[in-house]
Amino acid sequence: MKNNKINYGWIFKIVLSTFIISIVFTLISEIAIPNVTIILGIIICIIFIAIGVIFDMVGVAITTCDEKKLHSMASNKIKGAKTAIKFKKNADKMSSFCNDVIGDVCGIVSGSTATVIAIKILEKTNFNELVTTVIIMGVVSSLTIGGKALEKSFAIKRSTTIVYHFSKIISLFIGE
């Protein structure tokens, strides 16, 4: 029977990392957006959406990739493969970090960025406040959800390749 013990250490780490990442992303958004043009604000918002979608894809790929292929790559001394194996062995934690921490924080920050963009648009036009805000939030939500829906099947079909490339990038920072 599986151990159903709650890992409070992991929960603490995930809550703390969410707090820190949320603060960093929000600071970037709050400092940058009010001082940029509407177009640059939209680009920043799209970047936050893209980061969320990409990390959601990585989280899905980690949970569905073939560990045997990663071991084969590691035995051939392919850089990043050992990191990929570590990620796969901790798929529950990696998926939670990628999908929930990064993905959800990006979703929240892109929403607050969209609010600032709506305010900037309303300051420069005499558009209806409700209509402007609803349309901008609808666009941001649909890009986020649509992007995540689009990447899911791709992440499942190309999971090992995605995990390998992600791990190769990460291994540049943590060494392998």
Side-chain angles (χ1 to χ4, degrees):
M1 186 167 195
K2 271 192 154 184
N3 184 358
N4 290 330
K5 189 176 174 185
I6 296 173
N7 187 341
Y8 290 106
W10 167 249
I11 292 170
F12 177 76
K13 286 178 186 175
I14 204 80
V15 168
L16 182 62
S17 62
T18 302
F19 181 75
I20 292 168
I21 291 168
S22 179
I23 287 173
V24 170
F25 282 13
T26 302
L27 278 173
I28 291 168
S29 174
E30 292 295 318
I31 290 169
I33 298 298
N35 301 314
V36 299
T37 64
I38 293 170
I39 298 299
L40 191 53
I42 291 168
I43 291 168
I44 292 169
C45 187
I46 290 170
I47 289 170
F48 280 121
I49 293 168
I51 291 169
V53 169
I54 289 166
F55 271 85
D56 192 74
M57 179 179 62
V58 170
V60 170
I62 289 170
T63 59
T64 59
C65 74
D66 184 358
E67 190 174 340
K68 290 176 191 170
K69 289 181 183 177
L70 299 176
H71 282 287
S72 175
M73 294 165 89
S75 70
N76 290 319
K77 308 251 186 271
I78 296 175
K79 185 158 180 60
K82 288 181 183 177
T83 301
I85 291 167
K86 288 177 191 171
F87 289 164
K88 179 61 180 177
K89 288 190 180 297
N90 293 290
D92 59 335
K93 292 175 181 172
M94 287 301 299
S95 176
S96 180
F97 180 78
C98 291
N99 297 86
D100 302 332
V101 176
I102 303 295
D104 292 354
V105 167
C106 284
I108 292 164
V109 174
S110 65
S112 65
T113 302
T115 302
V116 175
I117 292 167
I119 291 168
K120 286 176 112 16
I121 290 171
L122 291 168
E123 287 172 350
K124 295 187 184 304
T125 66
N126 59 356
F127 293 158
N128 180 286
E129 183 178 333
L130 177 64
V131 172
T132 302
T133 304
V134 168
I135 288 173
I136 289 172
M137 291 304 171
V139 168
V140 169
S141 298
S142 63
L143 288 175
T144 301
I145 302 303
K148 288 183 177 190
L150 184 64
E151 58 79 8
K152 292 267 193 280
S153 64
F154 177 76
I156 292 168
K157 289 176 187 167
R158 307 280 299 163
S159 60
T160 305
T161 303
I162 292 166
V163 172
Y164 164 67
H165 287 294
F166 178 73
S167 300
K168 189 174 177 182
I169 292 167
I170 298 299
S171 68
L172 295 173
F173 299 101
I174 64 172
E176 182 172 304

